Amino acid sequence: MFRSRSRDEQAAPPRESAELTKQRRDPQAPKGRPTPKRSEAEALRRAVAKPPADRKEAARRAREARRAELARQREALAKRRRTLPA
């Protein structure tokens, strides 16, 4: 588990991972969407990472998240019940 590696093991990078990354994506292939403007990307980052202003705001966000999660679970359960045999 904790042993020193020989110099050959340390120096040789894994060839398999390098070959896989070359095969995964063609560099000439388009990515399918335009690059966002810097201002749009910054605004999106700020909106997502903005912490709540106070405890009340944090509690309100937690309630909303909990309600959304429960609604999603209820919907999934309702779909599942329809597919189960009677």
Side-chain angles (χ1 to χ4, degrees):
M1 182 177 193
F2 299 108
R3 66 179 176 92
S4 61
R5 295 184 180 184
S6 68
R7 291 180 191 239
D8 295 335
E9 289 178 344
Q10 290 177 353
R15 293 181 187 170
E16 296 172 6
S17 62
E19 291 173 3
L20 289 176
T21 56
K22 290 180 186 176
Q23 293 174 359
R24 286 185 190 162
R25 185 176 181 279
D26 179 18
Q28 298 300 320
K31 61 184 175 181
R33 58 184 163 75
T35 303
K37 298 245 184 235
R38 183 180 185 139
S39 59
E40 293 171 359
E42 288 176 349
L44 183 62
R45 271 198 330 265
R46 285 189 197 113
V48 172
K50 194 171 187 180
D54 55 3
R55 286 181 32 202
K56 286 185 178 182
E57 177 70 19
R60 184 182 65 78
R61 287 185 187 182
R63 276 194 308 271
E64 288 176 1
R66 188 171 49 247
R67 286 178 184 153
E69 178 65 22
L70 288 173
R72 187 184 65 78
Q73 289 177 358
R74 268 189 243 111
E75 183 180 329
L77 186 59
K79 288 180 183 178
R80 183 173 175 223
R81 285 186 179 160
R82 281 185 250 145
T83 61
L84 291 174

